[in-house]
Amino acid sequence: MRRAKFLFVLFLACTAAACSDELLAGGQTARVQGQATDAPAGTSSSAAATPAGPSFALAPAGAAIGAGTIHLVASMQLITATGAAVPITRGATAASVPIAASQVVTLGSGKVEVGAYPRVRVTFTSVEADLTDGIGGSGAVVRVDLPQPLVVTAPVELNLAADDTAAVRVNLNSAAWLGAAVAGVVSSATFQAAVQVTTG
């Protein structure tokens, strides 16, 4: 009798848990896409990332930074008002972004709960530019010195309603840091001060 009662209580508990999962899965959500670009500065409004150090004026106006591709490994998260992190990408993602071009590359996308998100966190594991022209000449490689992952945060105004589709875009802004390379290396502080984030 006790065994039958135990099994019945266990059945009710499992049923309740399943119902809770269904309610959570059926909650109101929006979809957010994480993107990366290296569009020339001034092509869109942006929010500067919170820097670890001072900002630098790195290259003369109109200087030819170069052509090529930036290879990066990064993850992206939305940050709630209480500080909780909500992933956009599925962990660290590799991407290749054309230098000084308006092309947009997708890092990943995910469903998030509706609501307001005041900050974005981008974590860079690796950033390296392969140049085909410009600074250093063809075949030059410039890398950002990242002995450990670099966490960049930026303020945003992202208010999501049910079924919304939004994008968070990180602009690598290479024109502001490629010219600061010393022996092919750029400091993480210089890179961080240059990165910009937009939403749309």
Side-chain angles (χ1 to χ4, degrees), residues 81-96:
T82 60
V86 180
I88 300 174
T89 62
R90 294 180 179 271
T93 302
S96 296

Side-chain angles (χ1 to χ4, degrees), residues 88-181:
I88 300 174
T89 62
R90 294 180 179 271
T93 302
S96 296
V97 179
I99 291 174
S102 298
Q103 182 176 335
V104 175
V105 176
T106 299
L107 297 175
S109 67
K111 286 186 176 181
V112 303
E113 292 185 357
V114 300
Y117 295 90
R119 295 188 302 282
V120 171
R121 176 187 297 157
V122 185
T123 302
F124 294 93
T125 305
S126 174
V127 180
E128 185 174 282
D130 290 335
L131 301 176
T132 58
D133 191 16
I135 294 174
S138 179
V141 176
V142 174
R143 67 177 179 86
V144 178
D145 184 28
L146 298 177
Q148 59 186 8
L150 173 66
V151 178
V152 171
T153 58
V156 296
E157 294 183 7
L158 192 60
N159 296 291
L160 300 174
D163 300 322
D164 275 355
T165 299
V168 176
R169 183 176 302 172
V170 57
N171 189 339
L172 301 174
N173 193 23
S174 68
W177 53 268
L178 276 178

Side-chain angles (χ1 to χ4, degrees), residues 65-76:
I65 296 301
T69 304
I70 299 172
H71 306 286
L72 68 147
V73 178
S75 62
M76 188 178 289

Side-chain angles (χ1 to χ4, degrees), residues 11 92 101 115 126 182 194 197:
F11 169 76
S126 174
V182 177
V197 176

